[in-house]
Amino acid sequence: MSTYLIYAVGGALIFSIGTYALLAQRHIMHKVIGANIMGSGIFMVLIALGKRTPDGVTDPVPQAMVLTGIVVTVALTALGLSIAKRYYTLTGLDDLDQDPPACDGR
Amino acid sequence: MRDRIRVVPLVAAIALFAIISSTVLDLPRESAGLSEEMIGGAAAIHVNNVVTAVLLDFRGYDTLLEISVLMLATVAVLSLRDPRLGTRRRLTGTADLILRSLGEAVTPIMMVVAGYLVWVGSTKPGGAFQAGAVLGAGGILLALTGWVRPSWARHSVIRLVLSVGLLAFIAVSVTPILAGRTLLDYSDDMRHIVLLILESILTLSIGASMLSLFLASASGGEEDEEAS
């Protein structure tokens, strides 16, 4: 079994853990963290699959894709946190189980 | 209630794990991918760092859309700010002398590092996004050590710095069309210098975006807690 497979399957595992957190957790912060964990899993799969070259030189294309993905993750996290914070400011709630009280749209 | 295992998400996660890992295991164990083409192509356009060549040239679409996503997120985060709070406030209550000195000592070094990362990006790992992250981190450090936005940095100036990276990238991408080639098909003679200038402008925008994202998300937290 090649070494890269450990990392690729591990990445798939991390991705599914993040998916579970995103779907099952009700606290908004947990959802944001879950989305981040999903991203990390995808990066790990991509980097691992770039290591399959016969000469051992890593394929640069997945690396570049992960670099792009990291920046997109930063944007996603910042937007998610901002929405969570605005939601908390307006409703006083930090989870999605309860319906927010009527909001005057400040 | 919090600790209850939710069945549907659990099944979905396990199914996803099974699908992804079986796909990964199904792939051929050895594959050259695109590394040969990329290494040859990078040598042909005189960019020594293959990842930089891929990012800015061969997969320029990715980077163009990436900077667009960052810009879009910044606009969205800035428009989600609480309108009741002023923007020119100190983030920390007391500007401690040691903290202030630390910020003043470290930030110039971070600016130099950012400049170095842009410059070195064509031959070694580095480039606009890394440099922008360092620049943004320097700004965040300044903000955390009690720095207040100077009065010359009006909103119009900040918006210009935020958007100039995307605008410059669009200009550089569209110029080849006017010369009768396709989008992002840079001409050979100007490529190196154009990409360097573009990376420098991108660095400024990315740094400003990171700082804005942080400041917009961080502002007002303490007030809210006190009020509630």
Side-chain angles (χ1 to χ4, degrees), chain A residues 16 24 52 71 85-86 106, chain B residues 6 17 28 31 80 84 219:
Chain A
S16 355
R52 290 179 300 149
V71 176
K85 190 167 167 228
R86 193 90 180 103
R106 283 178 300 182
Chain B
R6 291 171 195 262
F17 173 67
S31 154
L80 277 169
R84 290 166 301 170
S219 62

Side-chain angles (χ1 to χ4, degrees), chain A residues 15-64:
Chain A
F15 177 80
S16 355
I17 292 173
T19 312
Y20 178 79
L22 183 71
L23 294 176
Q25 298 285 348
R26 283 297 180 265
H27 195 287
I28 303 179
M29 284 298 291
H30 292 183
K31 282 185 184 290
V32 174
I33 294 170
N36 268 283
I37 294 173
M38 285 171 81
S40 306
I42 298 169
F43 298 156
M44 212 160 132
V45 173
L46 274 174
I47 289 289
L49 293 184
K51 201 66 188 165
R52 290 179 300 149
T53 48
D55 51 359
V57 180
T58 313
D59 190 352
V61 178
Q63 290 188 38

